[in-house]
Amino acid sequence: MIRQVKILLVDDKDESLVALEAVLRPLQQQLFKARSGQEAMKLMLRHDFAVVLLDVLMPGMDGFETAAHIKRLDQTRDVPIIFLTGTDTGSGAAFRGYAVGAVDYITKPFDPWVLRSKVAVFIDLSRKSHMLREQAALLRDLLRSDPDLARNAQALTTFADRLTSVEDQLTALTVAVPDDDGLRDAIKDLADRVNAMQSAFDTLHPTP
């Protein structure tokens, strides 16, 4: 069964949240809504989100401040942020968005298909990351149960096959978004973690 992921939508306007829900509903994931930066932070501390769609212009804590808080906490710092803004605030605002850690900065009105496609990439990345955590847990269990690894050949082979599968899927994602630096950087970060796990695995279980 394909694992659903959680997506956080942050906007102080109800009509904007309704519009975002309509755009993302075809992805069939769990959508959460927040109407302020404070409400968004509370939800982020309770849930593991694959991506956050964050409005820039909000009363009180605006999008930039909210993003800074997200990136400051160890629990939430790796969650990708896509900024959405209702007005063209210029390249300076876009630069500020990237400076606080956003992976993308989109001006409304946006193309629904483009936004849905970008979010879909982060859904895939979240699933791959979850798979890596599961495989890391499996490797730790194998090491605890059999330090010399000799009697776990089949389990280790399965582990290696799964790592290779994740690497192949990450490569395909990189090809799918060749012109999007934010997405490519996120994919590269995950790929680096895969490579580190692969190196650790090869050290423990070298190919004869």
Side-chain angles (χ1 to χ4, degrees):
M1 182 176 179
I2 298 178
R3 172 180 171 267
Q4 277 193 323
V5 305
K6 298 177 181 179
I7 301 169
L8 179 59
L9 316 176
V10 187
D11 200 302
D12 61 305
K13 296 181 175 60
D14 286 337
E15 59 270 26
S16 295
L17 291 173
V18 170
L20 285 173
E21 280 187 299
V23 169
L24 300 179
R25 193 174 297 120
L27 296 175
Q28 298 183 325
Q29 305 304 311
Q30 298 181 53
L31 303 178
F32 289 72
K33 296 180 293 184
R35 291 171 178 79
S36 68
Q38 292 88 342
E39 187 178 347
M41 291 305 302
K42 290 178 182 178
L43 285 171
M44 294 202 69
L45 292 174
R46 290 190 225 132
H47 300 278
D48 182 15
F49 289 107
V51 62
V52 177
L53 275 63
L54 180 58
D55 185 39
V56 172
L57 303 175
M58 296 188 296
M61 186 190 296
D62 67 15
F64 296 128
E65 293 174 281
T66 303
H69 282 295
I70 291 171
K71 295 301 179 181
R72 198 172 293 134
L73 298 177
D74 290 340
Q75 181 178 338
T76 59
R77 65 187 306 170
D78 293 328
V79 180
I81 298 171
I82 297 177
F83 272 125
L84 303 173
T85 180
T87 58
D88 186 357
T89 50
S91 59
F95 176 80
R96 185 181 175 192
Y98 291 120
V100 295
V103 297
D104 213 336
Y105 189 98
I106 301 174
T107 302
K108 305 173 188 175
F110 49 80
D111 184 324
W113 186 89
V114 170
L115 181 62
R116 191 159 50 237
S117 296
K118 289 176 181 287
V119 171
V121 171
F122 286 108
I123 291 172
D124 284 342
L125 284 174
S126 178
R127 287 174 177 154
K128 304 301 183 295
S129 183
H130 180 76
M131 187 184 303
L132 284 178
R133 287 194 295 270
E134 288 183 337
Q135 300 317 307
L138 172 62
L139 183 57
R140 285 195 298 270
D141 290 344
L142 289 173
L143 289 170
R144 279 197 296 265
S145 65
D146 185 8
D148 63 13
L149 304 178
R151 294 187 298 277
N152 283 310
Q154 183 58 49
L156 288 169
T157 298
T158 299
F159 177 82
D161 289 344
R162 289 179 178 178
L163 272 182
T164 300
S165 174
V166 173
E167 286 181 304
D168 291 343
Q169 292 175 65
L170 287 173
T171 299
L173 278 174
T174 304
V175 173
V177 289
D179 299 321
D180 195 315
D181 291 338
L183 294 181
R184 277 192 309 196
D185 288 345
I187 293 169
K188 182 180 181 302
D189 178 67
L190 188 54
D192 288 343
R193 282 186 274 167
V194 173
N195 291 334
M197 287 185 64
Q198 185 70 62
S199 297
F201 174 80
D202 290 343
T203 300
L204 291 167
H205 187 65
T207 302

